[in-house]
Amino acid sequence: QSVLTQPPSVSGAPGQRVSISCTGSSSNIGAGYDVHWYQHLPGTAPKLLIYGNSNRPSGVPDRFSGSKSGTSASLAITGLQAEDEADYYCQSYDSSLSGSVFGGGTKLTVL
Amino acid sequence: EVQLVESGGGLVQPGGSLRLSCAASGFTFSSYSMNWVRQAPGKGLEWVSYISSSGGTIYYADSVKGRFTISRDNAKNSLYLQMNSLRDEDTAVYYCARVRSSSWYHDSWGQGTLVTVSS
């Protein structure tokens, strides 16, 4: 079981908005550690999508946004496109494990 | 351009050993902490090990503690993972990733190398 909890799958039609949740605990997200999000396509390197809860690296479209509150965080994708179909992972730091922790991943299907 | 290239994966029998390498280029390797992260077939990403920029601070996931050893050679811009006493459950694609220590995120990843543990 992953330390951070994500829904296994979400789906949406092109142009719609979807949201992916990420729930942690008092030793990671709840302790104030930042949440980051990655997009992963099979056979490729994971790509940083959001860092520091809500910051986008250069080159990431503003259709992607992140937020954090308490022990949870979420990734929102607006104006869904076919190319957004991928696996999405949240990640934080856990003080009790002294290392990075990931969510189990959420598969986004664009209908 | 930041580049991370893993190598050393392959097929190994249970109980065997393997050494992974990650060659870094396009940035000042000695200034960055690094992680190994793996993905087992059909599973999510799992953090494996961390090493600070100088190599003075090292952490391991409980699942590999006592069996895996992370190291780096800043003169050769290289990161390593020595894997001993390998188990079936260590089968995975292993990625090296650059860590931004200020916030513990991975801003660059390699393409990964596949390790298969099977008899």
Side-chain angles (χ1 to χ4, degrees):
Chain A
Q1 302 289 22
S2 301
V3 175
L4 305 180
T5 301
Q6 297 180 233
S9 63
V10 297
S11 63
Q16 285 190 333
R17 177 188 187 276
V18 296
S19 177
I20 299 172
S21 62
C22 174
T23 303
S25 67
S26 58
S27 61
N28 42 69
I29 299 175
Y33 295 107
D34 288 338
V35 178
H36 322 292
W37 292 89
Y38 304 87
Q39 180 188 61
H40 191 203
L41 294 162
T44 69
K47 173 187 175 183
L48 178 66
L49 212 55
I50 297 288
Y51 68 95
N53 305 316
S54 60
N55 301 293
R56 283 186 309 276
S58 61
V60 174
D62 60 5
R63 301 186 296 105
F64 296 89
S65 63
S67 63
K68 172 192 165 184
S69 178
T71 58
S72 296
S74 65
L75 172 71
I77 309 172
T78 59
L80 266 182
Q81 299 179 3
E83 67 200 51
D84 298 333
E85 195 161 281
D87 296 322
Y88 292 83
Y89 293 88
C90 61
Q91 177 251 317
S92 185
Y93 175 82
D94 193 289
S95 57
S96 65
L97 301 174
S98 296
S100 295
V101 287
F102 287 92
T106 298
K107 182 174 183 58
L108 169 62
T109 300
V110 180
L111 302 171
Chain B
E1 179 194 4
V2 174
Q3 278 203 322
L4 297 169
V5 180
E6 303 92 340
S7 61
L11 175 63
V12 61
Q13 292 187 337
S17 298
L18 213 54
R19 189 195 196 206
L20 305 184
S21 299
C22 171
S25 61
F27 65 102
T28 305
F29 180 69
S30 60
S31 296
Y32 289 86
S33 301
M34 299 292 294
N35 269 348
W36 285 100
V37 177
R38 68 184 180 183
Q39 183 178 34
K43 303 292 186 180
L45 299 173
E46 178 191 16
W47 169 72
V48 173
S49 184
Y50 164 91
I51 187 167
S52 62
S53 56
S54 67
T57 299
I58 286 173
Y59 299 119
Y60 297 99
D62 288 343
S63 57
V64 307
K65 203 172 293 182
R67 301 187 299 120
F68 290 12
T69 301
I70 191 172
S71 63
R72 64 189 297 160
D73 185 336
N74 286 342
K76 293 184 177 180
N77 292 332
S78 293
L79 174 72
Y80 306 102
L81 186 67
Q82 177 67 44
M83 304 186 296
N84 298 331
S85 303
L86 283 162
R87 306 167 180 168
D88 291 350
E89 55 265 34
D90 295 319
T91 294
V93 175
Y94 285 74
Y95 299 96
C96 64
R98 191 174 77 170
V99 180
R100 291 299 189 117
S101 298
S102 59
S103 193
W104 281 84
Y105 65 93
H106 311 82
D107 66 348
S108 294
W109 297 68
Q111 291 291 326
T113 186
L114 175 63
V115 172
T116 303
V117 184
S118 175
S119 53

